[in-house]
Amino acid sequence: MGPMKQYHGDDNLLILGMNGRLLLAISAALFTAYTNAITVHDTFGRDVTKQGIVLLDWDGYMANPAIKLTVEVDPKDQTQVLDVRSDCVRMMFDRAGDISGGPLGKSMRIDPGQNKAEVWVSIYPDRDGKDEDWTMEFKQRSQKSWTALMVRVIDQDKQTPPAFNITTNYSQDKTGFLKDKDIQQTINQAAADWTYFIDDMKFDSVPKGDETTTLWTPEGFVNTYTAKNDKPYNGFLLYFVGIKGPDMRSGGAPSYDGKKQTSKGKELPLLRSGAVEVELQGSYTKYGWYVDSSDSNWWACGSQSNEQADLYSILLHEMGHAIAFEANYPFFGQALKKRELKEARVEEYLGNDPAVDQYCHFDHCIDPASGFGAFGAEYQARMKVRRWLITKTHLLLLQAVGYRIRPVSCFEALSFPSTKIELRLGKEFSSISLIKGGLPAYRCSLTNGALPKGVSLGEYDGKLSGAPLEEGFFEIDLRVDDQSPTGATASAKIAIKVAR
């Protein structure tokens, strides 16, 4: 990361440090003891002010799930403004009612006489696979001290090598713009982020000269020409070319002259190559490109018309057109004609069949888990999004088009890894997990039966701990709810044997 940057928001001064952690400099009140004038409740209405909350960083570089918090405040407060901040620059909040004027933290008005405010929070992804501990803070504007809330981030990144390949090719760029190594690095990272989620579909290799790709000439979307692959490849061949056109937009599409993918000689409803056109001036802006894909700078550029265009965001989107979301793909072409995409797994997740507009976008389609906009609805996000990301909806749409998606953690439903537990009488143990998957923190409850004396169940994490004080066989009925937007629930019978 570069030099320190400052973000001013209302009465706060937030200084962004070299390591991405927010150093909070405010009045002397910052150093006073925290108070409990504010209480924070989770999705289930539990007071988590002292307990803290859990956020997930899902496997793969994608938009992570947001959880809802209800903040209980003093209704007699005269300023009627709630400020929210964090010491983590990657902490994201929703846009509803936000008056802060910036991408970090949140400030919101509270109607006179009301004592509650709703805040959604998630974590912007990183790539290191390490769990983290951060802090959120809440304060009514007239108060002198902040109420702290612990935040545990569980990072589920697995660092799994890709099973699908996008070959990025810059050889057809006639402008020289794409020779820049930083630009290539950002583009290659966006391509790798797409490929991570696609499973090995046993595509046949493409021989040298067997694939013809449609490309646009440097003056923009006026004239096309074709190029053949100069070497064999497997997966998807994606050319990048610079253009400078009057409409100042970038683009992406599969080849109009290419062939379909095959596996063991059998034709698949997927294509083998495409191209992305990078507008030299920026995309729908005269301020050029913001070239930085670092996690801590997700907020620095939002690709609005009055600022630079974020290269990672725009090219991630245009690659989506090239690899899946264009009329050339048979299933998507049908959806485009009908102006809606009908597929059971997509409908189950979204609760509807998403509309497809003339631009091959899913306009007004918001990803339920993350609050980010789905493909083509990036500006309509529920969260305070600046850099765009792949969402769970994107992955389901890829699946609908014909790709096979890897079993990444965002698809891991609530389950019970073991329903038979053996313990030793009087022997202390800890952290036997009865639950996996879903979106913690959980709400765990026994609906029937009883645990052995000396053994307890964690309400928030579903873990058994303690030292059993009685011998025998115990059977319990366990119910678990998680914080998914749809309110996922699972139940199981757990058999516990305590022996000497």
Side-chain angles (χ1 to χ4, degrees), residues 197 205 229 263 308 326 362 380 404 411 426:
F197 296 104
S205 293
N229 58 306
S263 178
Q308 291 177 302
E326 278 290 326
F362 296 89
Q380 300 157 5
R404 187 165 63 237
F411 293 112

Side-chain angles (χ1 to χ4, degrees), residues 4 17 47 49-50 54 65 109 136 140 150 161 226-227 233 249 253 294 349 368 380 402 414 470:
M4 283 193 173
D47 185 347
T49 314
K50 294 181 180 178
V54 174
R109 300 190 190 281
M136 282 178 63
Q140 286 176 267
M150 296 181 298
T226 60
Y233 71 93
R249 70 176 177 91
S294 60
Y349 180 59
Q380 300 157 5
L414 276 175
E470 54 182 333

Side-chain angles (χ1 to χ4, degrees), residues 321-352:
H321 281 297
I323 66 172
F325 307 124
E326 278 290 326
N328 309 42
Y329 290 92
F331 187 85
F332 190 87
Q334 296 170 19
L336 183 61
K337 289 179 181 178
K338 296 176 181 178
R339 286 293 191 262
E340 68 175 0
L341 185 145
K342 298 181 74 68
E343 201 271 346
R345 291 164 294 190
V346 173
E347 182 183 8
E348 181 183 9
Y349 180 59
L350 295 177
N352 57 65

Side-chain angles (χ1 to χ4, degrees), residues 107-307:
S107 295
M108 56 191 305
R109 300 190 190 281
I110 302 172
D111 293 335
Q114 297 298 309
N115 70 333
K116 293 181 180 179
E118 188 175 285
V119 176
W120 289 78
V121 59
S122 68
I123 192 77
Y124 190 87
D126 65 12
R127 306 175 190 275
D128 61 12
K130 297 178 181 178
D131 294 348
E132 302 168 286
D133 293 290
W134 302 100
T135 304
M136 282 178 63
E137 295 178 314
F138 304 84
K139 184 173 75 68
Q140 286 176 267
R141 190 65 61 82
S142 63
Q143 294 174 345
K144 292 184 178 180
S145 57
W146 295 77
T147 296
L149 179 71
M150 296 181 298
V151 181
R152 178 68 169 167
V153 177
I154 298 176
D155 194 325
Q156 298 179 323
D157 286 324
K158 296 177 181 176
Q159 314 295 332
T160 309
F164 170 77
N165 183 53
I166 293 178
T167 301
T168 55
N169 187 307
Y170 303 96
S171 66
Q172 294 297 314
D173 174 39
K174 303 181 188 309
T175 66
F177 181 70
L178 298 179
K179 290 182 179 179
D180 186 289
K181 296 302 181 185
D182 290 335
I183 290 176
Q184 288 191 15
Q185 180 180 350
T186 300
I187 293 172
N188 293 342
Q189 183 63 70
D193 291 339
W194 276 113
T195 62
Y196 182 86
F197 296 104
I198 300 175
D199 208 352
D200 183 3
M201 298 182 66
K202 309 298 182 184
F203 291 145
D204 296 330
S205 293
V206 179
K208 177 182 177 180
D210 192 56
E211 176 68 4
T212 303
T213 307
T214 315
L215 299 161
W216 293 95
T217 53
E219 63 269 19
F221 302 102
V222 179
N223 299 304
T224 63
Y225 68 101
T226 60
K228 289 186 177 292
N229 58 306
D230 60 1
K231 62 182 68 174
Y233 71 93
N234 186 278
F236 195 88
L237 175 60
L238 190 54
Y239 292 92
F240 293 84
V241 297
I243 62 171
K244 188 174 183 181
D247 44 4
M248 296 179 63
R249 70 176 177 91
S250 298
S255 176
Y256 296 96
D257 300 287
K259 299 177 183 178
K260 287 187 171 65
Q261 296 277 9
T262 61
S263 178
K264 296 182 179 179
K266 182 180 178 181
E267 191 174 272
L268 302 174
L270 299 170
L271 301 176
R272 304 193 302 185
S273 73
V276 170
E277 298 78 37
V278 185
E279 169 58 59
L280 274 59
Q281 305 164 88
S283 200
Y284 293 112
T285 179
K286 61 182 179 181
Y287 299 105
W289 292 102
Y290 179 78
V291 184
D292 183 343
S293 58
S294 60
D295 310 329
S296 59
N297 278 350
W298 67 270
W299 56 272
C301 182
S303 302
Q304 302 289 333
S305 60
N306 61 348
E307 62 180 339

Side-chain angles (χ1 to χ4, degrees), residues 67 69 106 146 150 251 254 285 295 300 335 396 426 429 463 491 497:
I67 65 169
L69 301 176
K106 180 174 182 176
W146 295 77
M150 296 181 298
T285 179
D295 310 329
L396 289 167
F429 68 96
K463 292 181 179 181
S491 299
K497 180 182 177 181

Side-chain angles (χ1 to χ4, degrees), residues 91-108:
M91 203 84 73
M92 302 184 69
F93 301 94
D94 64 310
R95 300 193 304 174
D98 182 56
I99 59 172
S100 68
L104 304 177
K106 180 174 182 176
S107 295
M108 56 191 305

